[in-house]
Amino acid sequence: MSNNGGVPYGSDEPTSFGLQPPRPPAGVPHPDHVPHPGNPYAAPTQVVPEQHQPAQDPGAGRLIAGRYRLLSKLGHGGMGTVWRAKDETVDREVAVKEPRIPDHLPERERVNAFERMRREARAAARLDHPAVVNVHDVAVVDGQPWIVMELVQGRSLGDVLQEGTLGAREAARIGLEVLGALEAAHAAGILHRDVKPDNVLLGRHERVVLTDFGIAQIEGETNLTDTGGFVGSPEYIAPERVLGQRPGPASDLWSLGVVLYAATEGVSPFRRSNTPATLQSVLNATPAAPASAQGPLAEVITGLLQKDPARRPNAAQTRALLEKAANPPAPAPTQVVQLGGDGKGVRVGAKTLIGLGATVVAAVLAATYLVIADPFADEKPDPWVDRAHPRLGVTLSVPKEYQVAKPDADDTDKNWVTYSDYSGSIWVGVNVARKSEDTSNQIKNSAAAEMYADNEEFKATGSYDLSMPEGPDTQTEETQYKGKKAAENTVTYTTNDTQNPRPRELKIFYYKTSKGDMYKVTISYPGKGDFTERGREVAENVIADLDIKTL
């Protein structure tokens, strides 16, 4: 079971969701479009910010089983409410899940559901694996089992995917941890039956935790039609379960395949507008081949999404492919041959060197270092590429390995794009406000005016979406772009995260076209540490090489 009850903390939304790439605010792109929140400079990972909690939740202060004091609600889903609580016996905070069974169920099925929850909670408590949430206790209150578990400091994968996709290596790393949890459960005779992004927590120190080991399920081995429905997100349920067949380990592996597809492609492959259509797609639809996931990761996703469970790779085969995806072979190292001592170097391809006579090489490269590069490696250790976005009328030059987060084809807000490095420490975003869509005349008369307006807002209120407190340090400058007026602002601040404040720096470039469209290019990076100089270098190069077509 997830500490957030299967939904983002403090949310009343249902657990099932359609993954959407992030929408930035009107001013600047969203700062947290990053593949992985575990990086100390990426999105915050606190369980629940205190300022977002109500002063007093109904039921707060209640003592459960004589030892667990309910403090505040963390969230709730279809099967219960999750509380932050204090174990007064051992003086530690825990997560306590208050069960909730649908009222329409007959009494016999309600009793059976509670008994199944007790049995499976006790089974999950026996699992010993770092990727399995620790279940401390099952407290029976009025015949209902309250599940007491560790309070995981982290965000759900579901939350992260609402902000953007993961890189292939990071998705494979998380997949390996989830697979390990499933292997431990299967070895103990426990099926999870509800593997989905909301039940994968990304904690501190790169810990990955799989929650809800069957505890939230009420159908168990019963056919789906026995109760007229099921609990959970139908797009992650294996076809054999939809057909009412007895599930096995392969059913959990199917769900893992759907999670990996969603994590890298940015969309749940079987999600439709309603439950019946979703179930039909699970049974009959063939997802498009993965585009972002290549090689072993694409192979494992395609294999796990086979409709016939007998054709899916087993756990060992899945692990082998995920390990290859998480740890791709490093490029062949460059060999350096010292021919002299003046510290200069010349890069020559291997075939060129072989084609030259030894005497010629010695004469031309005397007193230098000869660098013999792998002929199959990139000529530059960190190549940049031009990324064209005709929809935005802009071409960006970014490091080749940066990952893109962009709107879906059916997203109504298509005026932005964001790139980030694998760690999530540095991100580059472009946002364009169209004059033709500016019905309330929000676009200022010039790039400088837009910059000064944003700057006043930063000074007065900060920016919630950037985790920026009010009164940051700013350096405004009126500049030029291709001989036309432009503006830049450099903003430095410390994020207002209560548990993990981090220094950040923003470089924002403003340009208004002759048609009245306002372009903002934002580069965000750490304000201190190893990534700071690299972030400033990225900002300088991105702005220098920016190509806006509609001047």
Side-chain angles (χ1 to χ4, degrees), residues 169-253:
R169 293 182 65 177
E170 180 64 9
R173 185 189 73 83
I174 293 173
L176 280 169
E177 295 296 322
V178 174
L179 177 63
L182 291 175
E183 288 175 312
H186 295 164
I190 301 171
L191 297 180
H192 190 286
R193 296 178 295 191
D194 197 21
V195 178
K196 59 186 179 183
D198 282 337
N199 284 340
V200 178
L201 298 185
L202 306 180
R204 294 176 176 177
H205 311 298
E206 296 191 335
R207 186 185 178 199
V208 178
V209 181
L210 180 63
T211 65
D212 266 342
F213 274 85
I215 297 171
Q217 296 294 95
I218 66 171
E219 79 274 11
E221 299 170 1
T222 306
N223 290 338
L224 296 173
T225 54
D226 285 355
T227 60
F230 54 85
V231 174
S233 299
E235 63 264 42
Y236 297 97
I237 293 177
E240 58 270 24
R241 289 191 58 210
V242 176
L243 295 172
Q245 299 171 359
R246 187 182 182 92
S251 301
D252 282 345
L253 294 181

Side-chain angles (χ1 to χ4, degrees), residues 24-30 415 427 429-433 450 454 457-458 463 465-466 508-510 518-522:
V28 292
H30 195 288
N415 292 332
W427 60 265
V430 176
N431 175 270
V432 56
E450 189 82 12
D454 282 353
E457 183 175 348
F458 292 154
S463 173
D465 294 294
L466 292 167
I508 310 174
F509 173 83
Y510 298 81
M518 184 66 71
Y519 281 81
K520 296 183 186 180
V521 181
T522 302

Side-chain angles (χ1 to χ4, degrees), residues 303-450:
L304 292 178
L305 295 187
Q306 293 288 331
K307 306 293 186 184
D308 183 357
R311 299 182 61 186
R312 296 171 203 155
N314 59 29
Q317 294 167 327
T318 300
R319 175 169 293 279
L321 289 171
L322 286 177
E323 286 177 344
K324 289 181 180 179
N327 303 288
T334 299
Q335 301 176 13
V336 179
V337 181
Q338 183 174 354
L339 299 182
D342 65 355
K344 297 179 180 180
V346 178
R347 181 177 293 273
V348 179
K351 292 182 178 179
T352 302
L353 177 64
I354 294 173
L356 294 174
T359 304
V360 176
V361 172
V364 174
L365 301 178
T368 68
Y369 287 101
L370 174 63
V371 182
I372 305 173
D374 181 351
F376 301 103
D378 291 319
E379 291 188 2
K380 298 180 181 179
D382 185 19
W384 286 54
V385 294
D386 290 336
R387 302 296 191 190
H389 296 276
R391 170 175 51 81
L392 300 179
V394 66
T395 297
L396 276 178
S397 180
V398 296
K400 182 178 180 180
E401 297 302 321
Y402 275 28
Q403 304 296 294
V404 64
K406 55 188 177 181
D408 269 354
D410 59 350
D411 198 321
T412 57
D413 182 2
K414 300 180 180 180
N415 292 332
W416 61 271
V417 67
T418 301
Y419 289 88
S420 68
D421 75 326
Y422 275 112
S423 73
S425 298
I426 304 172
W427 60 265
V428 178
V430 176
N431 175 270
V432 56
R434 302 292 186 190
K435 181 64 176 178
S436 59
E437 301 171 0
D438 186 28
T439 56
S440 57
N441 295 318
Q442 295 296 311
I443 300 176
K444 304 303 179 184
N445 293 330
S446 67
E450 189 82 12

Side-chain angles (χ1 to χ4, degrees), residues 142-197:
D142 298 329
Q144 300 184 14
W146 292 56
I147 312 303
V148 182
M149 54 195 149
E150 66 173 313
L151 185 65
V152 177
Q153 300 282 344
R155 309 172 71 210
S156 76
L157 178 59
D159 287 344
V160 173
L161 295 184
Q162 294 288 1
E163 300 172 358
T165 56
L166 301 180
R169 293 182 65 177
E170 180 64 9
R173 185 189 73 83
I174 293 173
L176 280 169
E177 295 296 322
V178 174
L179 177 63
L182 291 175
E183 288 175 312
H186 295 164
I190 301 171
L191 297 180
H192 190 286
R193 296 178 295 191
D194 197 21
V195 178
K196 59 186 179 183

Side-chain angles (χ1 to χ4, degrees), residues 168 260-261 264-267 287-295 297-298 301-302 403 406:
L260 292 172
Y261 189 106
T264 56
E265 304 306 304
V267 61
S292 299
Q294 303 292 329
L297 185 57
I301 291 173
T302 302
Q403 304 296 294
K406 55 188 177 181

